[in-house]
Amino acid sequence: MKQLFTMDIKDYGQGDGRRYRASARAVIRAENGRIAMVYSRKYKYYKFPGGGIQADEKKEDALAREVHEETGLIVKKDTIQEYGSVRRLQKSSEIENTVFVQENFYYICGAEMAVGEQRLDGYEQEAEFELQYIHIEDAIKANKLCAVPDAFTLVSVARDTAMLEILDGTIPNPSIPMAKFLLRTAAKSNLGPWEQHSRYVAESARKIAEHCPGMDGERAYVYGMLHDIGRKFGVSCLAHVYDGYHYLLGLGYGNAAGIALSHSFNRKEIDDYIGEFDITEDAQEEIRCLLKKVEFNDYDYLIQLCDSIAKADGIVSLEERMTDVKNRYGHYPQEKWEKNVELKDYFEEKMGKNLYTVVDASL
């Protein structure tokens, strides 16, 4: 089955043990463009019906059994078609020093609409699962707003939300709770001022986007939170760009991965990067090729701007921020400096406001 993406949180130790689980999940299309989903009335999120595959059980049989138990629906086995798989790796919430490795197999299928009786386990009863038919875009919106009780459930919801976005023909974007979780988890791996810097970038990006026609403040906030996520893997310079891009791309978050790449190159030139080139020549060439292919949009430009006004202790002027970088690294390319000023002018024109009347030091 085609691998769609791998949601590897990388919040575990390299020597940790592995606990494997395979699951089958159903994409059941219904009338009026809706799909059948399991809704948690307690936590307000939607999941694809399905669950664990038992030992010596065929995937299709597990699919039918789990769908029936969770919804009462009867899967039409002659309609089952493979759609794709998603691997998930996350620190176990139950067993110490263990990685939970879950292979999720998604199938398109039809089902009998006559509903039988649910047979829910304790966790499912506690979450108050029920069958609902909903439009994909409405399920996505609900999932990105939901409050879940723990990180383990959050990642499960994020996995199915990404699947919904793929079905909807869009590139998955993390929810704000997921972005906060990823940043918080990353900061535990590499403590430093970069975490608070990321929060200031996110807050300023949201405020600016909310004043720009056609831009989404929540989307800008998420990109700001995750632009430096590559620092999760240790103290580094250019490596944090490369690592952040590949980390988010692996999670399925292609747009956020693009921001992790583009935020350091407002002129699309790797050669004016400020800092050590601490990656291989092959990795550098990969970045060059990616920069040649990409077309920057307003979110790329916005995070570049906000990265240039946010320090770890607050929002400052462009001049103060760039001078600080110059003092720490010994140089700041004039063309890069001028591009940041150009970006400031660009967004002030879009907003019809001075940048610092929108983004202030009280963030």
Side-chain angles (χ1 to χ4, degrees):
M1 186 179 291
K2 178 183 177 182
Q3 188 85 28
L4 299 173
F5 58 92
T6 300
M7 188 159 276
D8 186 352
I9 304 303
K10 299 187 186 298
D11 57 349
Y12 47 84
Q14 291 301 313
D16 288 351
R18 301 278 172 125
R19 177 192 170 207
Y20 292 91
R21 179 178 174 85
S23 299
R25 306 190 184 280
V27 181
I28 303 171
R29 299 192 182 275
E31 296 177 349
N32 301 319
R34 296 176 299 167
I35 59 173
M37 298 203 75
V38 174
Y39 178 65
S40 168
R41 286 189 291 114
K42 183 172 183 177
Y43 299 115
K44 316 299 182 188
Y45 69 81
Y46 290 89
K47 68 176 285 289
F48 289 96
I53 302 170
Q54 297 175 359
D56 300 323
E57 186 178 28
K58 292 181 179 179
K59 296 183 184 69
E60 293 82 358
D61 292 339
L63 182 78
R65 175 181 55 76
E66 284 286 344
V67 168
H68 184 63
E69 288 176 359
E70 290 187 350
T71 68
L73 296 174
I74 307 298
V75 169
K76 300 176 182 177
K77 290 195 174 183
D78 60 347
T79 68
I80 296 175
Q81 297 179 356
E82 293 183 356
Y83 185 77
S85 66
V86 176
R87 173 169 272 210
R88 170 190 175 191
L89 296 92
Q90 184 179 8
K91 183 177 180 179
S92 174
S93 62
E94 299 176 352
I95 308 173
E96 191 175 356
N97 300 323
T98 302
V99 187
F100 178 71
V101 183
Q102 184 184 44
E103 202 73 53
N104 299 273
F105 301 99
Y106 289 84
Y107 295 89
I108 303 285
C109 61
E112 298 289 350
M113 294 300 141
V115 180
E117 183 179 350
Q118 289 176 296
R119 294 198 298 273
L120 303 179
D121 61 24
Y123 158 73
E124 294 166 341
Q125 291 177 18
E126 191 271 338
E128 299 178 8
F129 281 172
E130 67 178 22
L131 170 66
Q132 286 195 12
Y133 296 98
I134 186 168
H135 291 285
I136 289 176
E137 59 270 25
D138 293 330
I140 293 170
K141 290 177 184 176
N143 280 8
K144 291 197 173 182
L145 292 173
C146 74
V148 293
D150 56 77
F152 206 72
T153 305
L154 175 65
V155 175
S156 293
V157 173
R159 178 202 64 218
D160 275 4
T161 306
M163 277 298 305
L164 285 164
E165 289 173 296
I166 290 171
L167 287 166
D168 200 37
T170 60
I171 298 173
N173 277 309
S175 66
I176 288 178
M178 185 63 174
K180 288 181 176 179
F181 164 71
L182 290 173
L183 178 61
R184 188 169 62 248
T185 301
K188 291 178 181 177
S189 299
N190 178 25
L191 296 174
W194 71 273
E195 179 188 6
Q196 190 56 47
H197 160 75
S198 297
R199 296 184 187 279
Y200 280 118
V201 171
E203 290 288 357
S204 57
R206 172 158 54 186
K207 287 195 171 187
I208 294 170
E210 287 172 347
H211 286 82
C212 292
M215 296 193 75
D216 183 333
E218 291 189 3
R219 183 175 172 184
Y221 181 87
V222 165
Y223 293 160
M225 291 287 281
L226 299 178
H227 80 284
D228 262 354
I229 197 71
R231 298 196 185 279
K232 168 186 178 72
F233 301 100
V235 178
S236 63
C237 292
L238 186 55
H240 93 277
V241 175
Y242 186 81
D243 292 340
Y245 170 76
H246 282 284
Y247 177 56
L248 291 172
L249 195 65
L251 291 172
Y253 298 133
N255 289 326
I259 298 293
L261 175 75
S262 69
H263 80 274
S264 290
F265 309 108
N266 63 11
R267 297 178 58 246
K268 298 180 70 173
E269 294 287 345
I270 188 174
D271 294 332
D272 66 7
Y273 180 77
I274 304 170
E276 182 182 350
F277 281 53
D278 50 357
I279 56 176
T280 66
E281 289 288 345
D282 286 345
Q284 292 176 41
E285 185 59 28
E286 182 182 347
I287 290 178
R288 287 189 181 91
C289 291
L290 288 168
L291 289 172
K292 285 179 182 178
K293 293 177 182 178
V294 72
E295 290 293 333
F296 286 175
N297 59 35
D298 280 351
Y299 292 100
D300 294 287
Y301 296 136
L302 177 59
I303 302 306
Q304 291 164 6
L305 172 63
C306 293
D307 190 33
S308 299
I309 61 173
K311 294 175 66 177
D313 55 357
I315 301 300
V316 297
S317 70
L318 269 176
E319 290 73 17
E320 181 178 341
R321 168 73 165 142
M322 292 187 292
T323 300
D324 173 65
V325 173
K326 183 176 181 178
N327 290 338
R328 284 188 287 120
Y329 290 94
H331 74 290
Y332 201 110
Q334 185 62 32
E335 296 86 353
K336 197 178 186 80
W337 187 302
E338 292 172 356
K339 183 63 177 180
N340 285 330
V341 174
E342 180 184 320
L343 290 175
K344 176 178 177 291
D345 293 342
Y346 173 72
F347 279 100
E348 286 184 334
E349 183 176 352
K350 285 182 72 72
M351 294 187 294
K353 297 176 182 290
N354 178 274
L355 177 68
Y356 292 102
T357 64
V358 175
V359 179
D360 58 54
S362 65
L363 279 172

